Amino acid sequence: MDGRPVLVCTEYEDATADLVIAELNRRRVPVLRFDPGRDFPAPVVLAARVGAGGTSARPRGR
C-alpha cells in the first residue's frame, strides 16, 4: 500500500468491519473508523480531492 488512510464508515459494534480493520492494521494501512450515527452531528470536515494525480482525503474536526 502507499500509506494513504482508508475511511471505514460503519457502526462501532460491527464485527465484520472489525475483521476488515484488523486486516488493514496487519498490513499497516492507516484506518479512520467513522460511525455516522454516533460521530455525527458533531462537526467534522472531510476534505477530498480527485484529480489526474490520484485522490486524497483528510478528515478534521472543527
Side-chain angles (χ1 to χ4, degrees), residues 17-35:
D18 292 342
L19 294 172
V20 171
I21 291 169
E23 179 61 22
L24 290 169
N25 286 329
R26 188 186 72 74
R27 296 180 185 203
R28 299 178 187 247
V29 175
V31 176
L32 171 65
R33 185 177 198 147
F34 180 76
D35 180 347

Side-chain angles (χ1 to χ4, degrees), residues 4-57:
R4 291 185 292 180
V6 173
L7 174 63
V8 178
C9 294
T10 184
E11 297 177 12
Y12 281 104
E13 300 295 325
D14 183 338
T16 303
D18 292 342
L19 294 172
V20 171
I21 291 169
E23 179 61 22
L24 290 169
N25 286 329
R26 188 186 72 74
R27 296 180 185 203
R28 299 178 187 247
V29 175
V31 176
L32 171 65
R33 185 177 198 147
F34 180 76
D35 180 347
R38 183 172 171 179
D39 298 327
F40 185 79
V44 73
V45 174
L46 178 61
R49 192 176 90 195
V50 178
T55 61
S56 65

